[in-house]
């Protein structure tokens, strides 16, 4: 710990020195089961299963645990201020504080989703928390993205200049889930042209004000000019993409990952919007690390001072402490002035002990010198700040935005284009994100059809690691209506056909790069270089059990199946009839020889009620799946892959996925595995943000972006 971090600030804004959380963890598990208890927490809620954790060096395991707990606390805080502190302490206490893993998980779920302990929930809310939907999904995402931390320090994956994509994905999941449950709704995001104005640019406390809806302002302070400017730039990039509370927590995570928590950082941000055509304005002010805001409206003045909590912003061993204040401005508008922490900590010989009245008097009499200490001045006027109109997706807008991509596709002149949109998890009801993806995909598909290009639609449902309860028929009707296209074939993540190809891809990479394969705790990883670790399989034990194929090889196989679905279905049908003639799937396929595997499963399994559906899936998998050592390994043949590559002209096929922007980070791992396999790249993706209207199409190879 540096001397800067140890020091105590002047009263009345004194911070309690940082607590040694590493010691607390050790004390919490000093009963001789320290490693076991930490492995339980990570295995149940994090990126690594229990066996992998048990084989980690003790110091590294402690670091992984600290990182995971702080990350989940930030996610909880992004949904509800104060929830991060609650969740931090529950996870610190470990599973042994609860009667079962289920009760531990439901407590975490209650805090993250509702912002309070499970015992304070109503009976209906307890039913929701008991399902643990969020923590099931976050554990899955963590396994994909945080496997990089297996042997080394944590790397930020994705857009490192503007936050961690994994954190964004987890936080947005909380926001969407809370909105779906009707708990809370964040102010809308800005879109279109952004007009910015920095009122004062003091080096140690720069600020920014955005003059389009919703009107936002931010002032930061730090002990170095470089850090202050960097933080403001990160804020500028994130505030157009995510709700303000999510932005604040993403910035704290960035500070933690960058290791600059001892830079005396503070951020004071505000957002103003008009909920109705007439009437008062709404405002919220958020703070990390200390600061203040003075609000003037209708002749009244009010000042709120943020004391910064008991920890330094970005400290891995301390709870997040996000302070939120809400205000109402009159119909005539008003003024907000945001102050950084370094202004609040002015030397006493300048202004004496700072009080609310002293701050107001300083502002109103213009004694404040902005050339010495920065602030952000936000003037809200009803004539220039009108009611927000939500972004409306139109066919003309999508056509215009995707024009360069359409031109590129016409130049390639593919035999067919496979479109994926409406990606959904089977434990969730479809929402506006799926509708928007289907709308974008539908516009593109119809434009391509108008150019004489064959278009197939292949929506994907993730039903492999979550409860399979979705109404598939209703989901497909919804996608067909939004896209105005006929659905060709559904892809299920639990598909044995796709996973068979994924198994061959794992064998291929184990054969071509044996020196890059890492086995630990019954898991198999690919060391992809530059700090990237890709999980290939988990839970294989000593190889005598089937284990579970990880997400990245499945995604790779799923994209490839779409190159020639008919050929790959023919091969797999013949394989099953030859190798597993008595299996349930082989018998069904014998009765419906012209059906594809996916439609066969849709009619025979996914049209059933959820409980019957799960039982049929379990039986189907048990009949066909084999122990890991029997199906995957160095030197194993790859006949399905050979049949696929021999059946298509890879210069004439193309797959396009329409996905929300927070899939960007996962995309990097998919691309890296394709590079290791030395496979072609006839694949594009359209990244979009439903609320802002941003669309970004790009190829698997970044240099081919349009």
């Amino acid at each position: 710990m540096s001397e800067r971090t140890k020091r105590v600030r002047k009263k009345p804004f004194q911070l309690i020195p940082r607590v040694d959380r590493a010691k607390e963890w050790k004390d919490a598990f000093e009963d001789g089961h320290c490693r076991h208890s930490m492995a339980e927490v990570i295995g149940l809620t994090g990126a690594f299963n229990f066996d992998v954790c048990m084989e980690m060096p003790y110091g590294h395991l402690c670091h992984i645990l600290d990182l995971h707990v702080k990350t989940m606390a930030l996610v909880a805080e992004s949904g509800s201020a104060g929830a991060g502190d609650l969740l931090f302490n529950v996870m610190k206490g470990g599973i042994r504080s609860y009667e079962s893993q289920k009760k531990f998980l439901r407590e975490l779920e209650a805090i993250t989703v509702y912002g309070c302990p499970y015992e304070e929930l109503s009976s209906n809310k307890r039913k929701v928390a008991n399902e643990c939907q969020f923590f099931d999904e976050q554990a899955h995402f963590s396994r994909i993205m945080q496997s990089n931390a297996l042997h080394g320090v944590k790397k930020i994956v994705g857009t490192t200049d503007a936050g961690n994509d994994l954190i964004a994905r987890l936080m947005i999941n909380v926001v969407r889930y809370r909105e779906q449950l009707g708990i809370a709704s964040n102010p809308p995001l800005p879109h279109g042209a952004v007009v910015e104005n920095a009122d004062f640019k003091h080096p140690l406390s720069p600020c920014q004000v955005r003059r389009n809806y919703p009107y936002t302002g931010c002032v930061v302070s730090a002990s170095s000019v470089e850090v202050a400017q960097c933080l403001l730039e990160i804020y500028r990039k994130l505030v157009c993409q995510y709700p303000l509370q999510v932005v604040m927590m993403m910035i704290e995570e960035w500070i933690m990952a960058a290791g600059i928590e001892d830079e005396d950082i503070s951020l004071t941000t505000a957002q103003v919007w008009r909920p109705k055509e007439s009437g008062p304005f709404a405002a919220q002010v958020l703070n990390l690390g200390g600061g203040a805001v003075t609000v003037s409206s209708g002749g009244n003045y009010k000042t709120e001072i943020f004391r910064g909590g008991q920890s330094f912003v970005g400290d891995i061993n301390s709870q997040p402490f996000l302070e939120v204040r809400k205000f109402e401005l009159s119909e005539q508008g008003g003024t907000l002035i945001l102050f950084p922490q370094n202004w609040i900590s002015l030397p006493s010989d300048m202004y004496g002990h700072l009080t609310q009245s002293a701050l107001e008097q300083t502002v109103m009499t213009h004694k404040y010198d902005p050339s010495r200490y920065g602030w952000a001045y936000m003037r809200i006027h009803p004539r220039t700040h009108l009611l927000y109109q939500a972004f409306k997706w139109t066919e003309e807008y999508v056509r215009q935005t995707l024009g360069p991509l359409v031109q590129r596709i016409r130049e390639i002149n593919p035999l067919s284009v496979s479109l994926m949109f409406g990606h959904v998890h089977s434990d969730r009801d479809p929402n506006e994100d799926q509708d928007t993806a289907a709308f974008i995909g539908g516009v593109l598909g119809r434009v391509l059809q108008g150019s004489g290009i064959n278009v197939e639609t292949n929506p994907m449902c993730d039903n492999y690691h979550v409860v399979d309860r979705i109404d598939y028929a209703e989901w497909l009707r919804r996608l067909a209506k939004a896209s105005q296209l006929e659905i060709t074939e559904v892809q299920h993540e639990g598909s044995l056909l796709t996973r068979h190809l994924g198994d061959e891809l794992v064998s291929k990479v184990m054969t071509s790069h044996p020196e890059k394969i890492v086995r630990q705790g019954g898991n198999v990883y690919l060391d992809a270089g530059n700090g990237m670790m890709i999980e290939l399989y988990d839970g294989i034990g000593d190889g005598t059990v089937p284990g579970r194929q990880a997400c990245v090889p499945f995604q790779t196989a799923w994209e490839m199946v779409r190159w020639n679905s008919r050929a790959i279905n023919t091969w797999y049908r013949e394989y099953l009839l030859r190798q597993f003639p008595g299996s349930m799937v082989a018998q069904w396929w014998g009765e419906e020889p012209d059906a594809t595997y996916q439609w066969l499963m849709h009619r025979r399994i996914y049209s059933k009620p959820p409980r019957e559906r799960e039982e049929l899936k379990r039986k189907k998998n048990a009949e066909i799946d084999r122990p890991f050592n029997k199906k995957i390994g160095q030197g194993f043949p790859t006949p399905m892959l050979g049949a696929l590559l021999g059946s298509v002209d890879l210069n004439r096929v193309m797959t396009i996925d329409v996905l929300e922007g927070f899939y960007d980070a996962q995309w990097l791992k998919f691309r890296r595995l394709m590079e290791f396999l030395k496979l072609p790249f006839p694949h594009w993706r359209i990244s979009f943000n439903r609320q802002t209207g941003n669309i970004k199409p790009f190829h698997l190879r970044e240099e081919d972006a349009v």
Side-chain angles (χ1 to χ4, degrees):
M1 187 183 299
S2 68
E3 289 299 316
R4 185 196 307 278
T5 305
K6 290 180 180 178
R7 63 184 168 81
V8 178
R9 296 173 182 171
K10 298 179 182 294
K11 294 181 179 180
F13 303 99
Q14 178 176 350
L15 293 177
I16 298 175
R18 290 196 298 182
V19 177
D20 186 352
R21 296 295 179 190
K23 182 178 184 301
E24 284 197 5
W25 277 108
K26 184 177 180 180
D27 292 343
F29 301 115
E30 64 182 1
D31 58 0
H33 300 285
C34 180
R35 176 184 292 276
H36 185 279
S37 299
M38 288 192 287
E40 269 193 323
V41 173
I42 299 173
L44 187 63
T45 65
F48 305 103
N49 60 27
F50 178 85
D51 291 337
V52 172
C53 293
M54 291 297 286
E55 293 184 8
M56 286 182 180
Y58 180 76
H60 186 55
L61 178 61
C62 290
H63 173 73
I64 293 292
L65 184 60
D66 287 340
L67 177 64
H68 176 55
V69 170
K70 180 58 180 278
T71 297
M72 297 316 303
L74 291 171
V75 171
E77 192 80 356
S78 72
S80 178
D85 181 44
L86 291 173
L87 188 125
F88 188 98
N89 287 307
V90 168
M91 296 191 76
K92 179 174 70 71
I95 297 175
R96 69 173 188 171
S97 302
Y98 294 82
E99 296 177 3
S100 65
Q101 291 185 352
K102 179 65 176 177
K103 291 184 177 181
F104 177 72
L105 268 181
R106 77 183 188 186
E107 185 73 12
L108 301 182
E109 187 84 4
I111 293 170
T112 304
V113 176
Y114 292 104
C116 65
Y118 180 84
E119 63 181 12
E120 296 180 11
L121 298 179
S122 65
S123 58
N124 288 336
K125 290 180 178 179
R126 288 186 179 186
K127 290 179 182 178
V128 174
N130 286 337
E131 295 178 359
C132 299
Q133 288 189 19
F134 170 74
F135 263 84
D136 282 348
E137 287 197 27
Q138 79 81 24
H140 174 64
F141 297 149
S142 294
R143 295 183 72 90
I144 299 170
M145 301 313 308
Q146 290 190 315
S147 56
N148 295 359
L150 179 65
H151 289 156
V153 297
K154 187 232 179 197
K155 303 277 187 180
I156 297 180
V157 179
T159 53
T160 55
D161 61 337
N164 184 337
D165 284 346
L166 170 68
I167 302 301
R169 185 169 181 172
L170 296 180
M171 290 180 182
I172 292 300
N173 275 345
V174 172
V175 171
R176 295 283 187 270
Y177 194 28
R178 287 168 61 85
E179 289 178 348
Q180 181 179 327
L181 295 172
I183 300 171
S185 179
N186 287 278
L189 297 173
H191 65 82
V194 175
V195 182
E196 301 174 1
N197 178 52
D199 292 275
F200 303 105
K201 288 189 175 181
H202 186 275
L204 292 179
S205 52
C207 66
Q208 178 196 83
V209 174
R210 308 177 74 89
R211 301 191 183 281
N212 70 321
Y213 193 90
Y215 201 73
T216 62
C218 175
V219 60
V220 305
S221 65
S223 57
S224 72
V225 173
E226 293 78 13
V227 170
Q229 295 290 346
C230 184
L231 289 172
L232 191 67
E233 178 64 13
I234 292 172
Y235 166 83
R236 185 187 69 80
K237 293 178 179 179
L238 294 179
V239 76
C240 278
Q241 304 177 59
Y242 307 109
L244 196 55
Q245 203 152 309
V246 170
V247 170
M248 295 290 275
M249 292 298 94
M250 289 185 69
I251 289 175
E252 176 157 6
E253 195 277 341
W254 187 91
I255 294 168
M256 177 179 68
I260 56 174
E261 68 274 9
D262 62 350
E263 288 282 349
D264 284 348
I265 292 168
S266 77
L267 296 93
T268 307
T269 64
Q271 190 171 41
V272 182
W273 67 101
R274 200 168 199 171
K276 300 179 180 179
E277 290 189 22
S278 61
F281 291 90
Q284 66 171 351
V285 182
L286 290 74
N287 176 268
L288 287 172
V293 59
T294 292
V295 181
S296 167
S297 181
N300 298 315
Y301 300 93
K302 183 176 183 180
T303 296
E304 293 278 354
I305 298 174
F306 303 101
R307 300 183 179 273
Q310 299 180 2
S311 63
F312 287 74
V313 179
D315 178 13
I316 193 173
N317 293 313
S318 297
Q319 304 95 317
F321 188 74
L322 179 65
E323 294 186 83
V324 180
R325 303 284 191 275
K326 296 186 178 181
F327 303 93
E328 185 178 276
L329 306 183
S330 71
E331 290 185 75
Q332 286 69 43
T335 301
L336 283 81
I337 305 176
L338 310 178
F339 299 92
Q341 183 275 328
N342 64 3
W343 196 88
I344 300 303
S345 300
L346 287 174
S348 58
D349 59 354
M350 286 186 64
Y351 291 111
H353 290 296
L354 184 62
T355 64
Q356 179 171 318
S357 60
L359 178 59
E360 291 175 355
Q361 183 180 8
T362 299
V363 174
M364 294 308 110
T365 59
H366 305 287
K367 291 180 180 179
Y368 175 72
D369 180 4
S371 65
R372 298 190 62 180
Y373 299 95
W375 63 359
Y377 182 88
M378 299 173 63
R379 178 74 176 97
I380 311 300
H381 196 282
R383 288 199 302 268
T384 58
H385 196 86
L386 304 177
L387 178 70
Y388 174 71
Q389 298 295 323
F391 181 83
K392 294 182 179 179
W393 289 88
T394 66
E395 183 164 332
E396 181 182 359
Y397 172 75
V398 175
R399 282 175 177 264
Q400 181 179 1
T401 307
L402 296 182
L405 175 61
V406 171
Q407 181 60 35
R408 184 67 179 276
I409 295 172
R410 288 169 176 161
E411 293 171 358
I412 295 173
N413 190 28
L415 292 173
S416 66
V417 171
S418 168
L419 277 175
M420 189 284 289
F421 49 73
H423 180 196
V424 71
H425 288 77
S426 63
D427 62 340
R428 296 279 184 92
D429 295 326
N431 58 32
E432 291 183 67
D433 287 328
Q434 282 82 47
D435 295 340
T436 303
F439 178 80
I440 296 170
V443 172
L444 176 61
R446 295 194 301 276
V447 170
L448 295 178
Q449 287 176 338
S451 299
I453 297 174
N454 180 55
V455 175
E456 297 181 350
T457 55
N458 302 110
M460 205 278 274
C461 180
D462 185 345
N463 65 343
Y464 188 52
H465 69 284
V466 294
V467 177
D468 197 343
R469 65 169 183 80
I470 193 173
D471 184 335
Y472 284 98
E474 176 58 31
W475 171 56
L476 293 178
R477 280 194 294 268
R478 183 168 179 164
L479 293 182
K481 180 180 179 180
S483 66
Q484 299 180 42
L485 292 173
E486 182 180 351
I487 304 302
T488 307
E489 183 179 58
V490 179
Q491 293 283 340
H492 301 97
E493 192 165 346
S495 164
L496 289 178
L497 178 150
T498 306
R499 293 196 171 275
H500 187 101
L501 181 58
D503 287 346
E504 291 196 3
L505 296 179
V506 173
S507 291
K508 180 176 173 64
V509 77
M510 291 177 70
T511 300
S512 60
H513 299 279
E515 76 286 356
K516 297 292 185 179
I517 301 300
V518 177
R519 294 196 183 213
Q520 184 167 325
N523 283 24
V524 182
Y525 300 89
L526 171 66
D527 185 349
N530 297 322
M532 181 182 287
M533 196 74 70
I534 300 174
E535 186 180 44
L536 301 175
Y537 245 87
D538 78 85
I540 67 170
D542 60 358
T544 58
V545 294
R548 188 170 68 169
Q549 190 181 119
C551 190
V552 175
F554 165 79
Q555 181 186 357
T556 308
W558 160 53
E559 302 293 350
M560 295 175 65
V561 165
R562 293 157 60 196
W563 294 351
N564 191 338
S565 176
R566 180 58 60 181
I568 209 74
N569 271 273
T570 299
W571 186 94
Y572 192 61
R573 177 178 178 273
E574 293 174 355
Y575 166 80
L576 287 184
L577 292 175
R578 183 175 63 253
Q579 297 293 331
F580 302 95
S583 68
M584 190 166 57
V585 177
Q587 293 175 15
W588 289 343
W589 226 335
E591 297 169 6
E592 298 186 61
D594 295 330
T596 65
Y597 175 86
Q598 302 294 358
W599 279 120
L600 189 67
M601 295 301 101
H602 184 74
R603 287 193 287 270
R604 300 283 185 152
I605 294 181
Y606 299 123
S607 60
K608 308 293 184 183
R611 183 169 295 182
E612 184 179 354
R613 189 186 301 172
E614 290 292 341
E615 179 60 27
L616 286 170
K617 285 166 59 179
R618 185 200 61 77
K619 182 179 179 181
K620 171 199 66 163
N621 294 344
E623 288 179 342
I624 296 175
D625 210 353
R626 296 168 295 158
F628 182 86
N629 288 343
K630 299 285 187 180
K631 61 183 179 180
I632 296 172
Q634 184 176 347
F636 275 43
T638 55
M640 189 185 211
L641 176 60
L644 174 62
L645 295 177
S647 69
V648 293
D649 178 356
L650 292 173
N651 295 315
R652 302 293 304 281
V653 298
M654 178 178 292
T655 60
I656 302 175
D657 294 352
V658 185
L659 289 166
E660 301 93 315
F662 50 69
Y663 283 92
D664 289 358
Q666 182 175 331
W667 179 266
L668 298 179
K669 292 201 169 186
F670 161 53
R671 185 181 71 196
R672 190 73 179 115
L673 182 57
M674 292 285 280
E675 291 171 349
F676 263 83
L677 292 167
K678 296 183 178 179
L679 292 171
F681 300 92
H683 189 70
W684 293 75
R685 183 168 67 89
I686 299 172
S687 175
F688 73 92
N689 185 309
R690 169 174 59 85
Q691 291 182 299
T692 67
N694 292 331
I695 305 180
K696 178 185 177 183
F698 55 90
H699 190 264
L700 188 60
R701 293 177 299 203
E702 289 183 328
E703 64 269 23
D704 291 337
V706 294

